[in-house]
Amino acid sequence: MGLFRRRKQTGAVSRGRPADRADLDHLENFVRTRRGVEAYIEPRTTVTETTVILIADDGEWTRRRVDGPEGARRFAHRLAIPVYDVRLMGYPQRMRDYNERRKRRPELF
């Protein structure tokens, strides 16, 4: 009958769109055109694959998919920027301040 058998875990993560060269180009351009950029690795969720969020010194940020946590670390090391795990560090205050400024004065952005 099998009422109490454990179900096999299914891949709940969406495999919609993997990271591609355009994602990496966007991230590289962000690093080249902003000051004080740091990388934060965001874990895979049920909705998206692993992402990296880049945050500049003024709080401006961008997010793109990457090829796993190791891919994010390789990317950050190649561009010589600090890399953190968002689960351990959280998001920096400057990012929250930037989001608040955008919300209050959207015409400036």
Side-chain angles (χ1 to χ4, degrees):
M1 195 140 131
L3 290 176
F4 298 105
R5 285 189 200 150
R6 292 184 185 248
R7 291 185 184 192
K8 288 186 179 182
Q9 295 267 340
T10 59
V13 173
S14 169
R15 305 277 186 218
R17 187 181 68 80
D20 60 15
R21 188 67 220 167
D23 292 329
L24 295 177
D25 289 344
H26 173 81
L27 294 171
E28 288 175 20
N29 185 55
F30 187 88
V31 171
R32 282 194 305 269
T33 58
R34 280 32 172 225
R35 292 178 30 166
V37 176
E38 297 175 333
Y40 288 81
I41 301 170
E42 298 177 311
R44 185 174 77 176
T45 68
T46 57
V47 179
T48 62
E49 292 294 329
T50 302
T51 55
V52 66
I53 186 165
L54 300 180
I55 305 171
D57 66 349
D58 67 349
E60 183 181 3
W61 58 273
T62 189
R63 173 187 289 128
R64 292 292 185 273
R65 288 179 175 93
V66 291
D67 293 326
E70 282 308 311
R73 286 185 188 88
R74 281 192 306 271
F75 171 81
H77 290 299
R78 185 169 52 86
L79 295 177
I81 60 174
V83 61
Y84 306 103
D85 186 330
V86 80
R87 290 177 295 184
L88 300 175
M89 301 294 294
Y91 296 102
Q93 183 63 44
R94 68 181 182 273
M95 179 185 168
R96 291 189 289 278
D97 294 343
Y98 178 83
N99 289 339
E100 187 62 31
R101 287 192 308 270
R102 281 183 64 183
K103 194 184 318 180
R104 288 184 185 193
R105 306 269 318 262
E107 69 277 3
L108 297 178
F109 298 91

